[in-house]
């Protein structure tokens, strides 16, 4: 069978397919349905490529989306006050024996009206490891406590590397033995410190609020 456009035998048609229509001259004409199917396949491939690209972007942005901010920047109310117990994520009060030296955990103020969860980093080191930037009345039994909300962009300071507290968003670094002073990255001020002591029952409690504003701003 000859192609009406090239005069050569078609390599795509055996004369039996539905993509061709015979005419009286023995020629054939491509079916409009074959063009439609080809276009549909191309559009579908483009759609898959687009979805794949969006999925890849989403996979990269998802971890950042999980780094939520805790407070609106305009929030200025108290977080802790004298006598407020420190509790873990299950609401259990923190005993003096909870941590060994070099360990840390995330704690919160015991629930009370008007205050959302306020993540706080509780760390413990040898008492002689702390500098004069940490007031003695702010620490007890080697424990110090700092706001977990980074002072740069409001992300969560989530880990400790070689004795340094690290925020994963922009790699701000703070020294917990020096009053959470900035030792790396973009933050312009230290993490606010929470004054704490041990109650008569052996639980850690606050003796006041953080000594500075929580989160970004506040210089």
């Amino acid at each position: 069978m000859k192609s009406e456009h090239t005069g050569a035998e078609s390599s795509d048609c055996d004369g039996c397919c539905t993509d061709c229509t015979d005419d009286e001259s023995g020629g054939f004409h491509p079916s409009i349905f074959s063009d439609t199917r080809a276009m549909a396949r191309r559009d579908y491939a483009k759609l898959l490529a687009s979805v794949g690209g969006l999925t890849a972007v989403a996979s990269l942005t998802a971890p950042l989306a999980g780094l939520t901010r805790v407070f609106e920047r305009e929030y200025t109310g108290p977080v802790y006050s004298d006598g407020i117990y420190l509790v873990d994520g299950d609401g259990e009060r923190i005993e003096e024996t909870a941590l060994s030296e070099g360990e840390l955990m995330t704690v919160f103020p015991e629930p009370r009206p008007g205050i959302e969860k306020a993540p706080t980093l509780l760390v413990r080191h040898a008492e002689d490891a702390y500098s004069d930037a940490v007031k003695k009345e702010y620490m007890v039994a080697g424990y110090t406590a700092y706001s977990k909300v980074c002072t740069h962009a409001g992300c969560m300071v989530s880990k400790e590397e070689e004795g340094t507290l690290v925020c994963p968003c922009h790699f701000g670094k703070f020294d917990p033995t020096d009053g959470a002073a900035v030792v790396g990255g973009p933050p312009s001020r230290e993490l606010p410190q929470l004054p704490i002591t041990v109650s008569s029952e052996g639980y850690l409690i606050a003796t006041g609020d953080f000594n500075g504003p929580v989160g970004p701003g506040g210089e």
Side-chain angles (χ1 to χ4, degrees):
M1 183 175 293
K2 305 286 187 178
S3 166
E4 76 171 338
H5 296 293
T6 64
E9 288 191 4
S10 170
S11 60
D12 297 322
C13 181
D14 58 6
C16 300
C17 65
T18 58
D19 287 347
C20 303
T21 56
D22 294 325
D23 59 18
E24 293 180 353
S25 64
F28 75 96
H29 302 283
S31 168
I32 60 171
F33 297 106
S34 65
D35 291 341
T36 302
R37 286 196 294 270
M39 291 176 62
R41 286 195 295 271
R42 287 195 294 270
D43 291 343
Y44 184 65
K46 291 179 181 179
L47 176 62
L48 288 179
S50 299
V51 171
L54 291 173
T55 301
V57 171
S59 68
L60 294 174
T61 58
L64 293 179
L67 299 169
T68 56
R69 297 179 180 179
V70 177
F71 295 110
E72 297 294 334
R73 294 191 181 192
E74 64 268 18
Y75 179 84
T76 58
V79 180
Y80 288 87
S81 63
D82 187 20
I84 294 297
Y85 286 88
L86 278 59
V87 297
D88 63 19
D90 295 323
E92 299 294 327
R93 294 178 176 180
I94 307 301
E95 296 182 351
E96 183 181 353
T97 57
L99 298 180
S100 299
E101 290 182 2
E103 294 182 334
L104 80 163
M105 68 183 299
T106 300
V107 297
F108 307 88
E110 192 168 53
R112 57 195 175 113
I115 294 181
E116 299 296 329
K117 283 187 173 182
T120 304
L121 282 174
L122 181 67
V123 300
R124 192 176 195 182
H125 293 278
E127 292 194 10
D128 59 7
Y130 290 99
S131 73
D132 292 338
V134 181
K135 297 179 179 179
K136 299 300 181 185
E137 62 269 26
Y138 275 31
M139 58 180 289
V140 62
Y143 284 101
T144 51
Y146 303 97
S147 169
K148 190 172 181 175
V149 187
C150 183
T151 53
H152 174 242
C155 298
M156 297 298 100
V157 179
S158 60
K159 59 183 178 178
E160 187 173 22
E161 294 179 351
E162 299 180 352
T164 301
L165 302 175
V166 181
C167 176
C169 284
H170 306 97
F171 300 103
K173 298 182 178 180
F174 307 87
D175 185 352
T177 63
D178 193 31
V182 179
V183 293
S188 59
R189 64 182 176 90
E190 71 279 0
L191 297 174
Q193 187 175 357
L194 179 71
I196 57 175
T197 191
V198 176
S199 71
S200 58
E201 301 96 342
Y203 296 107
L204 295 177
I205 60 173
T207 60
D209 200 6
F210 289 110
N211 66 348
V214 170
E219 284 85 350

